[in-house]
Amino acid sequence: MTAPEPTNAQVRLRPEIAALPPYRQGRPAPANGFKLSSNENPWPPVPAVERAIAAAAAEVNRYPDATALVLREKLAQRYGVTADEVLVGAGSVSLLAQFVLAAAAPGDEVVYSWRSFEAYPGLVTVAGARSVQVPNRADHGHDLDAMAAAVTDRTRVIIVCSPNNPTGVAVTRDEFERFMARVPADRLVLLDEAYAEFVRDEASVVGSELIGRHPNLVVLRTFSKAYGLAGVRVGYAIGPVEILDAARATAIPLGVTAVATAGALAALEPDAEAELLGRVDVLAARRDALRDALIAQGWPIPAAQGNFVWLPTGERTVEVSERLFEAGIVARAFPEDGIRVSVGEPESVDVLLSVLKELV
């Protein structure tokens, strides 16, 4: 049997996927610079977490518990739900993908604010659904009234990001309650709270207070930011069992590793968690001081409730981003919109303020 003649024919791919820009991480920081592009926690793991991860790594020849049952039980106890009402995934973005796949089919619509988390458009496209992007308000926060008005018969999912990534503005408790009252009960609402631990505005919505109150609401959290576990990928969702079961059916099997589960469990132990949340307090205070200093320089910085600040640089975005890079600061630039700068080491704040003072 002879081999087929080679041809120039291309493999047939979905055109919308072939045209979709892949998710790209920020470029590496220059030598002696600061990587402030990924909203990472600047501290290394606390010793107890590091030990737990190392111990789990010694058994990576074995498959992990596919359901992360022990972690789900721990979280269920914390939030007053059953383990079946908790879903653990490889970071909150992985969970978002599972829920969109579970609810939105080709031709359906997913509503979210824009600009918001840059992964949302790709997740929707991969599911075959259509994005309905509702512009942010002038203060860079969600326009929940406009989002509710954008819901149609084709809408299957609405994503609310609070605090909003990358602009930092949180949704208030009252805004969210009014929004939920307007959204039909058969449409899935995902409250993405990846930065919830950094919120200091008492008027902001708190997803854990809403658990069990809305049959169409799922709350998502992550261990990547406040708990400093970005490198092992673990997050969780809390919501009605039937919705979580549908998302479980869309998951890639064994997506959450034993190393990730061990790290998360260790981070939830009282001593370790107290140390980690103490670090969050430091970052939140540093964020507020940075925002105040930038406003004093003349930058129109919106409310900041994550571990980052938003520079609305518009058409100057590339210019400002390059100047920051030349000074050793790698930030996340969104051309024509603005720049998200993570709050990192205290030394980075001094460099950032020095550069931006010249550019305002």
Side-chain angles (χ1 to χ4, degrees), residues 19-54:
L20 184 67
Y23 180 85
R24 301 188 188 279
Q25 291 180 288
R27 56 185 171 178
N32 301 318
F34 300 96
K35 183 172 179 280
L36 306 180
S37 57
S38 299
N39 292 345
E40 295 159 330
N41 193 311
W43 279 281
V46 297
V49 171
E50 192 171 350
R51 288 193 298 269
I53 288 175

Side-chain angles (χ1 to χ4, degrees), residues 211-251:
I211 294 170
R213 291 179 52 185
H214 301 283
N216 59 331
L217 175 65
V218 172
V219 178
L220 297 103
R221 293 277 185 99
T222 184
F223 286 93
S224 294
K225 313 301 181 183
Y227 291 86
L229 292 176
V232 296
R233 311 305 303 133
V234 58
Y236 60 97
I238 305 173
V241 174
E242 61 274 14
I243 299 176
L244 268 57
D245 281 347
R248 287 185 178 99
T250 70

Side-chain angles (χ1 to χ4, degrees), residues 67-101:
T67 69
L69 177 60
V70 176
L71 179 55
R72 288 192 294 119
E73 289 175 337
K74 184 89 170 179
L75 292 167
Q77 183 179 19
R78 168 167 297 202
Y79 292 106
V81 298
T82 67
D84 287 340
E85 293 172 286
V86 181
L87 174 61
V88 174
S92 57
V93 66
S94 176
L95 292 167
L96 282 161
Q98 291 175 230
F99 285 108
V100 172
L101 283 168

Side-chain angles (χ1 to χ4, degrees), residues 140-159:
H140 303 281
H142 281 28
D143 188 341
L144 288 184
D145 288 336
M147 289 177 66
V151 174
T152 70
D153 289 341
R154 289 190 170 184
T155 304
R156 293 296 177 268
V157 183
I158 307 104
I159 306 173

Side-chain angles (χ1 to χ4, degrees), residues 147-266:
M147 289 177 66
V151 174
T152 70
D153 289 341
R154 289 190 170 184
T155 304
R156 293 296 177 268
V157 183
I158 307 104
I159 306 173
V160 177
C161 186
S162 181
N164 186 44
N165 174 19
T167 64
V169 182
V171 171
T172 70
R173 184 181 290 104
D174 291 343
E175 287 173 338
F176 193 76
E177 288 288 9
R178 290 196 300 270
F179 171 76
M180 291 301 295
R182 292 184 60 185
V183 172
D186 61 351
R187 315 302 162 85
L188 175 59
V189 178
L190 302 175
L191 178 56
D192 184 353
E193 291 190 309
Y195 301 90
E197 292 85 359
F198 297 93
V199 174
R200 294 297 179 268
D201 183 353
E202 294 183 357
S204 299
V205 66
V206 180
S208 59
E209 296 176 353
L210 302 174
I211 294 170
R213 291 179 52 185
H214 301 283
N216 59 331
L217 175 65
V218 172
V219 178
L220 297 103
R221 293 277 185 99
T222 184
F223 286 93
S224 294
K225 313 301 181 183
Y227 291 86
L229 292 176
V232 296
R233 311 305 303 133
V234 58
Y236 60 97
I238 305 173
V241 174
E242 61 274 14
I243 299 176
L244 268 57
D245 281 347
R248 287 185 178 99
T250 70
I252 296 173
L254 303 167
V256 181
T257 67
V259 169
T261 301
L265 285 168

